[in-house]
Every structure is written in structure tokens, then in C-alpha cells.
Amino acid sequence: MMVEQFLNYLRYERNRSVLTVQRYEKALRAFEAYFENKDGQLSWESIDSDIIRDWMESMMDNGAMASTVNNCLSAVRSFYRFALSRNLVAKDPAHVVKGPKKEKPLPHFVREKEMDELLDQKEWDANNIKDVRARTILLMFYETGIRLAELVGLDDEQVDFVQHQLKVTGKRNKQRLVPFGEELEQALRDYMALRDRQVACQDHALFVSDKGKRITRAAVTNLVRNHLASVSTMKTRTPHVLRHSFATAMLNNGAGLESVKKLLGHASIATTERYTHTTFEQLKRIYHEAHPRA
């Protein structure tokens, strides 16, 4: 009866949608079935927080995602807030229960072999500004790990060929220095020389369109998407994937987490740590593919 009262409260007093009410009812009925099956003497009035935690653990053990468990817990919490306000129960065991941390999806990244295939293909035309610009942009993302906005915002003066570093303006206008290697140096020199011969630049932007204006975020995104399609079947093919690819390649080849954090411009090491999960997942795949008894 208490559950029905709560559902009517949602329908008529809170004017919640039919789907929302159904979602709450499904969660509450599932919990009710759980504690009644556990102990026939249990009721909404007598259960404690441990029963709720046991229920959540059982859902996780059966493969439920953290987001699903949290939604179910939210329904139980809402029910008890209602029941307590109407004096239907004497206590609220749900308010002290914490839900599981939500899973953070692993970053998508392009494998090193695929990036080598893309950057080293013979089809690049050294005299075609579009080809040279595209390859230089792809190489810069992969070799430096900078963000889309950071690349688009680069000016010529922020490229230091003597020190082999970029002066990048990141989030919240924080500036950092990002090193680059000889391959990117040569690509940048070739691109800038060809750009200056073939394009009438209208500002000091490093990367410009065919009309000489600073290249747009949309143009770079489309460029990356189209070129990654030639080497990867991933649905997500964005500049950020190349940033992920940079971080993953660095960690796979021995770079320290703190160093990668600084290169990426992360404020917290926790943000960078998710790439360690990516590399471990890659190791697990290699293990299962290679070990005869895995």
C-alpha cells in the first residue's frame, strides 16, 4: 500500500511522466521482492541500511551497471523521503547509503600501427596545400596531445623551432610549453613554406584555410574524421581521440604518469590516470590473444 501511495503522489501531486512512474515502480517492486525473499518477516518499516546495501551488491554481482544501481537507489531514497514525511515509516534507512561510483568510459584511441599507416602513406602530395596541412595537423595532434581549441588558436610566433616547443594556451587561459620532435618540425616548416607561397594569410594564425583565415574547429574536426576513417573502423573519430592516442602511446612506451599529466595540461593526476586503464586493457587483449591457455 505504501508503494502505491508513493506512486500516486508522483502521478498526481508531482505530475511525473508515465515512464518516470514506471521506472520508480520497477525499482521499488524489485527491492520489495528482494527483501521479502531474503526474510519473509521484513517490511518497508523494518528494513535497515544493510539490507539496501546487500540489494545493491546483488545487482552489481548480476552485472548491473553502476548507473542502473544508482537509479534504483534514488527511487528507494525518494520513497523513504515521502514515507517519512507522511509518517508511514519511523525511520529512513536509505539516506545513509552511498551508491557505487559511476564507471568512466575508457578513452577511445588509435593504435600506433594505424597512426603509422596513416602518417606514412605514399598518397600524401608534398605540393598540395590541403594534403600538407592535413598531415601536419594530424601529426601535431598525435605528437603533442594538444586540444582542438589549442591547435586552432596557435599563431606562428608560438612555434619555437630553436627550443622545439609550442607555447599553448589551454583551459582557463593557462599557458604551458609542449615539446615536439624533428618529424613535426620538418612537417611544420614544409607546411608554413607552402602556405606562404600559395595562400594570402589574413592574420598570424598557424593553420589557415585556403582563403587565408584562421582554420575553424569544424574544419579540423571534419579533416580528422575523414582521414581516420581510412585506417580505423571506430565510430568516434575526433581530434580528442588523437589526444587520447598521444597519451596512450606515451604511457605504453614508458612515460611517467606525472609527465603525461603536464604535457596534456591536466589539472589533476586523476584525469590522467584513466589512460592507465586503457593501456592495461590493451595489455589484457594482447595477453588473451597471445597466451595459448588464456
Side-chain angles (χ1 to χ4, degrees):
M1 289 296 295
M2 281 193 290
V3 172
E4 203 57 51
Q5 284 180 261
F6 173 64
L7 296 175
N8 285 332
Y9 161 76
L10 293 178
R11 291 187 189 102
Y12 305 120
E13 295 186 43
R14 298 298 303 275
N15 199 29
R16 294 295 183 90
S17 70
V18 173
L19 288 177
T20 297
V21 175
Q22 288 176 346
R23 189 166 63 247
Y24 274 79
E25 181 174 19
K26 182 179 179 181
L28 294 173
R29 296 302 184 193
F31 180 47
E32 190 173 48
Y34 174 82
F35 68 69
E36 286 180 350
N37 183 63
K38 192 177 185 68
D39 184 342
Q41 301 301 312
L42 288 174
S43 66
W44 288 101
E45 298 97 316
S46 64
I47 65 167
D48 57 25
S49 56
D50 286 340
I51 298 296
I52 300 175
R53 292 189 185 97
D54 289 345
W55 174 54
M56 291 164 54
E57 287 180 11
S58 73
M59 284 191 284
M60 298 288 283
D61 289 342
N62 288 323
M65 301 287 288
S67 55
T68 301
V69 176
N70 279 319
N71 287 337
C72 291
L73 176 60
S74 178
V76 173
R77 283 174 174 165
S78 296
F79 166 79
Y80 270 109
R81 281 197 299 270
F82 163 81
L84 196 63
S85 69
R86 302 295 171 94
N87 296 315
L88 299 175
V89 296
K91 61 179 181 178
D92 173 6
H95 77 283
V96 296
V97 178
K98 293 183 179 181
K101 291 183 178 180
K102 291 183 179 179
E103 306 91 346
K104 291 185 177 180
L106 292 176
H108 297 282
F109 67 96
V110 185
R111 297 175 184 273
E112 293 176 43
K113 182 179 179 181
E114 293 170 334
M115 286 305 302
D116 289 342
E117 180 184 339
L118 174 60
L119 295 169
D120 297 338
Q121 62 183 330
K122 297 179 180 179
E123 287 77 9
W124 295 116
D125 185 348
N127 296 309
N128 183 306
I129 185 64
K130 290 184 178 180
D131 271 8
V132 174
R133 180 176 55 218
R135 184 181 182 278
T136 305
I137 286 174
L138 292 166
L139 182 61
M140 178 169 281
F141 276 132
Y142 185 54
E143 191 169 315
T144 68
I146 63 175
R147 300 178 177 92
L148 171 60
E150 293 169 347
L151 180 139
V152 169
L154 281 174
D155 290 337
D156 285 358
E157 63 183 17
Q158 293 171 278
V159 181
D160 185 343
F161 287 115
V162 177
Q163 299 294 326
H164 285 84
Q165 61 190 22
L166 303 174
K167 188 176 183 180
V168 174
T169 302
K171 290 183 176 180
R172 295 177 292 280
N173 289 321
K174 289 185 178 180
Q175 292 189 326
R176 70 184 189 281
L177 297 175
V178 180
F180 60 85
E182 293 181 359
E183 183 178 7
L184 182 55
E185 176 191 2
Q186 190 59 55
L188 282 167
R189 288 187 184 278
D190 292 344
Y191 159 72
M192 293 170 79
L194 193 62
R195 178 201 66 185
D196 293 344
R197 289 199 304 270
Q198 296 187 10
V199 180
C201 297
Q202 299 183 27
D203 56 30
H204 301 292
L206 175 60
F207 292 109
V208 297
S209 67
D210 294 343
K211 295 182 180 180
K213 295 182 179 181
R214 186 181 298 274
I215 199 166
T216 64
R217 294 167 62 108
V220 175
T221 299
N222 288 333
L223 176 157
V224 170
R225 181 183 298 114
N226 293 336
H227 284 284
L228 285 186
S230 66
V231 295
S232 176
T233 58
M234 289 191 310
K235 292 183 179 180
T236 305
R237 300 190 301 271
T238 64
H240 219 66
V241 166
L242 293 180
R243 179 169 161 85
H244 296 327
S245 304
F246 161 81
T248 304
M250 290 288 289
L251 290 169
N252 280 341
N253 287 282
L257 200 60
E258 183 64 31
S259 299
V260 176
K261 168 186 174 291
K262 291 179 179 178
L263 290 169
L264 292 172
H266 285 159
S268 168
I269 195 72
T271 308
T272 318
E273 282 178 336
R274 62 183 179 149
Y275 294 110
T276 63
H277 300 302
T278 301
T279 56
F280 185 65
E281 287 301 314
Q282 187 179 34
L283 285 174
K284 287 200 295 185
R285 282 197 298 271
I286 293 171
Y287 168 76
H288 285 294
E289 291 170 2
H291 198 287
R293 299 180 70 89

